mmCIF file of all heavy atoms in Angstrom:
data_model
loop_
_atom_site.group_PDB
_atom_site.id
_atom_site.type_symbol
_atom_site.label_atom_id
_atom_site.label_comp_id
_atom_site.label_asym_id
_atom_site.label_seq_id
_atom_site.Cartn_x
_atom_site.Cartn_y
_atom_site.Cartn_z
ATOM 1 N N ASN M 1084 -9.269 -2.573 -11.471
ATOM 2 C CA ASN M 1084 -9.881 -3.663 -12.231
ATOM 3 C C ASN M 1084 -9.335 -5.001 -11.743
ATOM 4 O O ASN M 1084 -8.239 -5.418 -12.119
ATOM 5 C CB ASN M 1084 -9.584 -3.492 -13.730
ATOM 6 C CG ASN M 1084 -10.338 -2.317 -14.334
ATOM 7 O OD1 ASN M 1084 -11.524 -2.140 -14.090
ATOM 8 N ND2 ASN M 1084 -9.641 -1.507 -15.127
ATOM 9 N N ASP M 1085 -10.084 -5.641 -10.850
ATOM 10 C CA ASP M 1085 -9.684 -6.938 -10.306
ATOM 11 C C ASP M 1085 -8.302 -6.859 -9.653
ATOM 12 O O ASP M 1085 -7.455 -7.726 -9.853
ATOM 13 C CB ASP M 1085 -9.697 -8.005 -11.404
ATOM 14 C CG ASP M 1085 -9.666 -9.426 -10.843
ATOM 15 O OD1 ASP M 1085 -10.065 -9.601 -9.688
ATOM 16 O OD2 ASP M 1085 -9.220 -10.337 -11.563
ATOM 17 N N VAL M 1086 -8.099 -5.806 -8.851
ATOM 18 C CA VAL M 1086 -6.806 -5.577 -8.203
ATOM 19 C C VAL M 1086 -6.947 -5.381 -6.696
ATOM 20 O O VAL M 1086 -6.116 -5.846 -5.917
ATOM 21 C CB VAL M 1086 -6.109 -4.330 -8.819
ATOM 22 C CG1 VAL M 1086 -4.898 -3.898 -7.992
ATOM 23 C CG2 VAL M 1086 -5.692 -4.606 -10.250
ATOM 24 N N PHE M 1087 -8.015 -4.719 -6.268
ATOM 25 C CA PHE M 1087 -8.180 -4.327 -4.865
ATOM 26 C C PHE M 1087 -8.078 -5.526 -3.924
ATOM 27 O O PHE M 1087 -7.530 -5.422 -2.820
ATOM 28 C CB PHE M 1087 -9.532 -3.625 -4.691
ATOM 29 C CG PHE M 1087 -9.687 -2.881 -3.388
ATOM 30 C CD1 PHE M 1087 -9.030 -1.680 -3.192
ATOM 31 C CD2 PHE M 1087 -10.496 -3.378 -2.380
ATOM 32 C CE1 PHE M 1087 -9.175 -0.979 -1.994
ATOM 33 C CE2 PHE M 1087 -10.642 -2.689 -1.186
ATOM 34 C CZ PHE M 1087 -9.983 -1.486 -0.991
ATOM 35 N N GLU M 1088 -8.598 -6.666 -4.348
ATOM 36 C CA GLU M 1088 -8.612 -7.871 -3.507
ATOM 37 C C GLU M 1088 -7.242 -8.519 -3.352
ATOM 38 O O GLU M 1088 -7.067 -9.451 -2.560
ATOM 39 C CB GLU M 1088 -9.614 -8.894 -4.062
ATOM 40 C CG GLU M 1088 -9.225 -9.527 -5.379
ATOM 41 C CD GLU M 1088 -9.620 -8.711 -6.603
ATOM 42 O OE1 GLU M 1088 -9.863 -7.495 -6.458
ATOM 43 O OE2 GLU M 1088 -9.674 -9.303 -7.708
ATOM 44 N N HIS M 1089 -6.249 -8.011 -4.092
ATOM 45 C CA HIS M 1089 -4.882 -8.539 -4.003
ATOM 46 C C HIS M 1089 -4.008 -7.716 -3.059
ATOM 47 O O HIS M 1089 -2.852 -8.075 -2.836
ATOM 48 C CB HIS M 1089 -4.224 -8.543 -5.389
ATOM 49 C CG HIS M 1089 -4.887 -9.440 -6.377
ATOM 50 N ND1 HIS M 1089 -4.535 -10.763 -6.555
ATOM 51 C CD2 HIS M 1089 -5.901 -9.211 -7.246
ATOM 52 C CE1 HIS M 1089 -5.286 -11.303 -7.497
ATOM 53 N NE2 HIS M 1089 -6.124 -10.384 -7.928
ATOM 54 N N LEU M 1090 -4.534 -6.614 -2.517
ATOM 55 C CA LEU M 1090 -3.716 -5.658 -1.772
ATOM 56 C C LEU M 1090 -3.730 -5.905 -0.268
ATOM 57 O O LEU M 1090 -4.726 -6.359 0.295
ATOM 58 C CB LEU M 1090 -4.201 -4.236 -2.048
ATOM 59 C CG LEU M 1090 -4.156 -3.765 -3.502
ATOM 60 C CD1 LEU M 1090 -4.714 -2.357 -3.595
ATOM 61 C CD2 LEU M 1090 -2.746 -3.821 -4.062
ATOM 62 N N GLU M 1091 -2.626 -5.543 0.361
ATOM 63 C CA GLU M 1091 -2.527 -5.543 1.820
ATOM 64 C C GLU M 1091 -2.863 -4.148 2.351
ATOM 65 O O GLU M 1091 -2.912 -3.176 1.596
ATOM 66 C CB GLU M 1091 -1.108 -5.914 2.248
ATOM 67 C CG GLU M 1091 -0.647 -7.295 1.829
ATOM 68 C CD GLU M 1091 0.758 -7.599 2.305
ATOM 69 O OE1 GLU M 1091 1.698 -6.983 1.766
ATOM 70 O OE2 GLU M 1091 0.913 -8.428 3.217
ATOM 71 N N LYS M 1092 -3.117 -4.063 3.654
ATOM 72 C CA LYS M 1092 -3.284 -2.786 4.362
ATOM 73 C C LYS M 1092 -4.294 -1.881 3.654
ATOM 74 O O LYS M 1092 -3.990 -0.755 3.246
ATOM 75 C CB LYS M 1092 -1.935 -2.079 4.502
ATOM 76 C CG LYS M 1092 -0.902 -2.907 5.252
ATOM 77 C CD LYS M 1092 0.440 -2.178 5.334
ATOM 78 C CE LYS M 1092 1.476 -3.035 6.066
ATOM 79 N NZ LYS M 1092 2.808 -2.371 6.134
ATOM 80 N N LEU M 1093 -5.504 -2.379 3.517
ATOM 81 C CA LEU M 1093 -6.517 -1.676 2.724
ATOM 82 C C LEU M 1093 -6.905 -0.332 3.312
ATOM 83 O O LEU M 1093 -7.206 0.612 2.568
ATOM 84 C CB LEU M 1093 -7.750 -2.572 2.561
ATOM 85 C CG LEU M 1093 -7.521 -3.853 1.755
ATOM 86 C CD1 LEU M 1093 -8.788 -4.684 1.704
ATOM 87 C CD2 LEU M 1093 -7.029 -3.529 0.355
ATOM 88 N N ASP M 1094 -6.941 -0.207 4.626
ATOM 89 C CA ASP M 1094 -7.253 1.088 5.234
ATOM 90 C C ASP M 1094 -6.231 2.138 4.815
ATOM 91 O O ASP M 1094 -6.590 3.268 4.461
ATOM 92 C CB ASP M 1094 -7.272 0.964 6.765
ATOM 93 C CG ASP M 1094 -8.544 0.315 7.287
ATOM 94 O OD1 ASP M 1094 -9.612 0.570 6.702
ATOM 95 O OD2 ASP M 1094 -8.475 -0.443 8.261
ATOM 96 N N GLN M 1095 -4.977 1.773 4.843
ATOM 97 C CA GLN M 1095 -3.916 2.699 4.448
ATOM 98 C C GLN M 1095 -4.009 3.039 2.965
ATOM 99 O O GLN M 1095 -3.824 4.194 2.568
ATOM 100 C CB GLN M 1095 -2.550 2.086 4.765
ATOM 101 C CG GLN M 1095 -1.379 3.022 4.499
ATOM 102 C CD GLN M 1095 -0.036 2.397 4.843
ATOM 103 O OE1 GLN M 1095 0.028 1.325 5.447
ATOM 104 N NE2 GLN M 1095 1.049 3.050 4.469
ATOM 105 N N VAL M 1096 -4.331 2.049 2.151
ATOM 106 C CA VAL M 1096 -4.479 2.275 0.709
ATOM 107 C C VAL M 1096 -5.565 3.303 0.432
ATOM 108 O O VAL M 1096 -5.368 4.258 -0.333
ATOM 109 C CB VAL M 1096 -4.786 0.955 -0.022
ATOM 110 C CG1 VAL M 1096 -5.228 1.229 -1.458
ATOM 111 C CG2 VAL M 1096 -3.572 0.032 -0.024
ATOM 112 N N ILE M 1097 -6.739 3.133 1.053
ATOM 113 C CA ILE M 1097 -7.858 4.052 0.818
ATOM 114 C C ILE M 1097 -7.496 5.465 1.255
ATOM 115 O O ILE M 1097 -7.807 6.455 0.563
ATOM 116 C CB ILE M 1097 -9.121 3.567 1.544
ATOM 117 C CG1 ILE M 1097 -9.576 2.226 0.957
ATOM 118 C CG2 ILE M 1097 -10.246 4.595 1.428
ATOM 119 C CD1 ILE M 1097 -10.710 1.568 1.716
ATOM 120 N N GLN M 1098 -6.837 5.592 2.389
ATOM 121 C CA GLN M 1098 -6.418 6.915 2.857
ATOM 122 C C GLN M 1098 -5.477 7.576 1.859
ATOM 123 O O GLN M 1098 -5.579 8.783 1.591
ATOM 124 C CB GLN M 1098 -5.730 6.782 4.220
ATOM 125 C CG GLN M 1098 -6.668 6.414 5.352
ATOM 126 C CD GLN M 1098 -5.928 6.014 6.622
ATOM 127 O OE1 GLN M 1098 -4.699 6.115 6.703
ATOM 128 N NE2 GLN M 1098 -6.654 5.545 7.618
ATOM 129 N N GLN M 1099 -4.580 6.801 1.278
ATOM 130 C CA GLN M 1099 -3.629 7.363 0.322
ATOM 131 C C GLN M 1099 -4.297 7.751 -0.995
ATOM 132 O O GLN M 1099 -3.866 8.696 -1.659
ATOM 133 C CB GLN M 1099 -2.501 6.364 0.068
ATOM 134 C CG GLN M 1099 -1.591 6.152 1.268
ATOM 135 C CD GLN M 1099 -0.475 5.158 0.992
ATOM 136 O OE1 GLN M 1099 -0.501 4.427 0.005
ATOM 137 N NE2 GLN M 1099 0.513 5.109 1.874
ATOM 138 N N LEU M 1100 -5.343 7.045 -1.373
ATOM 139 C CA LEU M 1100 -6.024 7.350 -2.627
ATOM 140 C C LEU M 1100 -6.605 8.755 -2.639
ATOM 141 O O LEU M 1100 -6.655 9.409 -3.693
ATOM 142 C CB LEU M 1100 -7.147 6.334 -2.876
ATOM 143 C CG LEU M 1100 -6.734 4.883 -3.116
ATOM 144 C CD1 LEU M 1100 -7.958 4.015 -3.314
ATOM 145 C CD2 LEU M 1100 -5.799 4.766 -4.319
ATOM 146 N N GLU M 1101 -7.036 9.232 -1.486
ATOM 147 C CA GLU M 1101 -7.637 10.561 -1.405
ATOM 148 C C GLU M 1101 -6.682 11.643 -1.901
ATOM 149 O O GLU M 1101 -7.107 12.665 -2.450
ATOM 150 C CB GLU M 1101 -8.057 10.867 0.034
ATOM 151 C CG GLU M 1101 -9.168 9.973 0.556
ATOM 152 C CD GLU M 1101 -9.590 10.376 1.962
ATOM 153 O OE1 GLU M 1101 -9.740 11.595 2.205
ATOM 154 O OE2 GLU M 1101 -9.750 9.481 2.806
ATOM 155 N N TYR M 1102 -5.409 11.424 -1.732
ATOM 156 C CA TYR M 1102 -4.391 12.397 -2.141
ATOM 157 C C TYR M 1102 -4.414 12.632 -3.650
ATOM 158 O O TYR M 1102 -4.044 13.709 -4.121
ATOM 159 C CB TYR M 1102 -3.018 11.886 -1.698
ATOM 160 C CG TYR M 1102 -1.871 12.823 -1.992
ATOM 161 C CD1 TYR M 1102 -1.594 13.899 -1.147
ATOM 162 C CD2 TYR M 1102 -1.057 12.625 -3.106
ATOM 163 C CE1 TYR M 1102 -0.537 14.757 -1.410
ATOM 164 C CE2 TYR M 1102 -0.001 13.482 -3.381
ATOM 165 C CZ TYR M 1102 0.256 14.543 -2.533
ATOM 166 O OH TYR M 1102 1.308 15.387 -2.794
#
Side-chain angles (χ1 to χ4, degrees):
N1084 290 315
D1085 196 23
V1086 169
F1087 194 74
E1088 69 275 20
H1089 296 270
L1090 300 178
E1091 298 181 290
K1092 301 178 181 179
L1093 295 178
D1094 283 324
Q1095 185 179 350
V1096 168
I1097 296 173
Q1098 290 168 6
Q1099 292 180 346
L1100 294 179
E1101 295 183 44
Y1102 183 81

